[in-house]
Amino acid sequence: MTDSHAPGHAAPAHGSLGHAHGGWSPLAGSAQAVVLDILVHGARPRTELAARLGLSGPSLTRITRPLLESGLLVERASLAPSGSGRPSVPLDLDPDAHHFVGVKLTRDRLFVVVADQRGRVLDGHDDDLPDPSPAAVVAQVAAVVTSARGRDDRIRAVGVTVGGQVVDRAHVQHAPFLGWDDVPLAELLTATTGLPTWVENDVRALTQAELWFGEGRGLRSFALVTIGAGVGLGLVAAGEVLGGAHSSAGSVGHQRIVAPVPVPVPVPVPVPVQVPVPVPAPVPVPVPVPVPVPVPAPASAAAAARADVPAPTCDLGHHDCASAFLTVAAVEAAAARALGRPVAYDDLLVLAADGHQEARVVVDTAADVLGQLIAGVLNVLDPEVVLMSGEGVRLATVGGAAVDAAIARDAHRAVPPPRLLVQEFRFDEWARGAAAVAIQMHALGR
């Protein structure tokens, strides 16, 4: 996880509370730990909270008093005592006290959600992104935020995610799908919207949302593998999302893989019929039958169509990396070569599931590569769970047997069979990941 602050978003002094953006400022130290625990795990009695965080009762009271006065924390209905003591009053976070806008940018669309402090989506929509230039995108996102604030006066901050490398949750260093390099997106949007704005890699943001609000909640380690326009990996270890020293952790799209057996493209060749030469009577010696020379059959239209389809490559021109086999575009290109015609990704999966031989080979070839990537993650991180998501994630279901076989072949024998969870894909989940970044940065100043 990237812990640096975006320009202009420095955290205040330890545990301080101000009045900017909704009555409080980013937190630090024990106040941050209290809020994080309640944010992720829900309401807790003071005694349980103090024990979990290693705080004395008076220290917890001192820390939580300003949080209660600011409205960030609230007291819930008293719980009946388990023994003869006084009723316990749980502390909780008011999820509706502050709302956040999350924006996910793709090559040609913009997905937007408004979420509460616990990541619950309150509103959402998507729009075309007709002009992907930085200036046009900033103007369009600012208009979306302005519209959302016109309907909701509790919006405090904005999170934006892109596919690519993002540094310090502020600067888009490279976003290939948008054609961007060196764009100070957080600074531009903060100035335009008037709200604190942070930017993050889309897979890492989705991983953060899963850690706090989704399937990863309560886990100390997990991996998130995504398949779609690109191939991505989010990593959690010791309860923290890993960003890497250069904000590049999880860049597995260009991981070299062992290419599976190429998809066979058989071209039928007619078998020549051997006609015996009559032996004239009355010669008793049989005449040897000449062996006919097969004439090569002309190439079929399907074979010609296959020849016109370029071999799959990633955006860097590699032929032997994961992206060259596993992205939606790469799988569609392999299908066109194998079937001799264009085949949409979802249609290919249906054909494979229905037993179409060539489609099955294409799907299992890509699924083998997916299994190789997962095996590598298991060998390095040994996570509790591997989550899979993205617009191409159904490959993991249709090609499940090939995924499992590759994992069994390539994972170290000391690694137990993994727990794999294939998630139903929706783009608003990626936008919720952007909102999760805003929630984290605004509330905790990370």
Side-chain angles (χ1 to χ4, degrees), residues 64 102 119 152 170 179 218 224 254 260 277 280 287 311 351-352 361 408 412 433:
T64 58
D152 185 343
L224 172 66
H254 298 294
V277 177
V287 177
L351 288 173
V361 174
H412 192 278

Side-chain angles (χ1 to χ4, degrees), residues 215 219 378 383-388 416-421:
E215 295 284 358
L219 298 178
L378 296 174
E384 298 169 66
V385 176
V386 176
L387 307 177
M388 287 175 279
R419 181 182 167 205
L420 305 178
L421 294 179

